[in-house]
Amino acid sequence: MFDRKMLARAAGLCASAAITVGLLSTGAANADTFVPLPGGELVKTLSDGTVVTIRLAGESATISPSMGSTPLHRNAWVSGSAQVELSGTAGGKIFPGYTVGCQVNIAGGGATGGMDGNVDWSGDTVTGGVGANSGGNLSLGPGQAKSFYVLDLEQADDFGNESHKTRNAFKGTSGSVTWADETIGLNGCGGYAQARAFVSVEVETDNVITWVTLWGQPFSLG
């Protein structure tokens, strides 16, 4: 015959175990999520025969629950390395950055609405500096997308005043930029959100000045 006290104690232990499992599950759900990304490579031959190779390597994102614990806030840290190689003697400028969209498809090369600047994001080349701002703290509503540059290099201009550059310039046949734990902060998006890296390069040879852009794989911000 079972002792009622023993049954009550067993029931209490089961309830405690269930609470513990529930707490562990909640903690796991709120933990940061590391997302390895494949990067990519683009090879393009310019009209003067110069071959441009752009690589996005070591790309990753760490998605974090919002500090406000609301669906309107997202936070992520992104890392990667942009590498450019040119055939022949030339030079260029590397503009790495990210496009972030709220309830908008950015898988086709950018986004279809709400983009900063008048820029064609549909192909692998863009003109006009891709119309992005520096800084990854963004406020977006449904159907909107914005882009930002990773770099914000402070230097003196020709008159000795402070200026900020969003590119890394190089001379010769190669250049690179590496970033780690760059913040993407998104506010105001009540639906699904995505982000996507880009590496836009301005190439300057004796005969050609043009832009070439490599897109990374889109990833979810939640």
Side-chain angles (χ1 to χ4, degrees):
M1 187 173 182
F2 294 101
D3 189 328
R4 292 186 177 180
K5 291 183 178 180
M6 292 180 63
L7 288 174
R9 183 177 301 172
L13 290 174
C14 289
S16 298
I19 292 173
T20 301
V21 170
L23 290 175
L24 290 175
S25 298
T26 301
N30 290 334
D32 293 347
T33 301
F34 178 78
V35 180
L37 295 165
E41 179 177 308
L42 174 66
V43 180
K44 189 173 182 67
T45 302
L46 306 184
S47 59
D48 68 346
T50 300
V51 179
V52 182
T53 302
I54 306 175
R55 297 184 184 92
L56 178 59
E59 189 189 5
S60 67
T62 300
I63 314 301
S64 175
S66 69
M67 296 182 65
S69 297
T70 73
L72 298 180
H73 304 278
R74 275 54 160 221
N75 198 64
W77 291 273
V78 290
S79 302
S81 178
Q83 304 162 5
V84 180
E85 294 180 3
L86 307 175
S87 66
T89 302
K93 300 172 184 177
I94 307 173
F95 298 78
Y98 288 84
T99 295
V100 181
C102 174
Q103 296 186 38
V104 63
N105 181 21
I106 61 173
T112 56
M115 185 63 63
D116 286 346
N118 182 18
V119 181
D120 178 14
W121 295 80
S122 59
D124 60 4
T125 62
V126 295
T127 58
V130 303
N133 298 315
S134 61
N137 292 313
L138 308 172
S139 294
L140 296 177
Q144 291 185 323
K146 289 185 180 180
S147 299
F148 71 94
Y149 290 123
V150 168
L151 297 180
D152 183 12
L153 305 179
E154 181 180 328
Q155 63 184 65
D157 61 17
D158 295 337
F159 303 97
N161 299 317
E162 179 182 310
S163 66
H164 294 264
K165 302 295 184 181
T166 56
R167 87 297 182 268
N168 181 42
F170 68 94
K171 295 181 179 180
T173 59
S174 64
S176 65
V177 175
T178 299
W179 60 98
D181 294 332
E182 175 72 20
T183 300
I184 297 178
L186 177 58
N187 298 311
C189 181
Y192 72 89
Q194 287 184 313
R196 189 179 193 185
F198 64 83
V199 180
S200 193
V201 180
E202 181 185 25
V203 181
E204 182 174 355
T205 72
D206 292 337
N207 302 305
V208 175
I209 298 178
T210 190
W211 284 75
V212 183
T213 298
L214 167 67
W215 288 97
Q217 176 178 288
F219 56 93
S220 174
L221 296 175

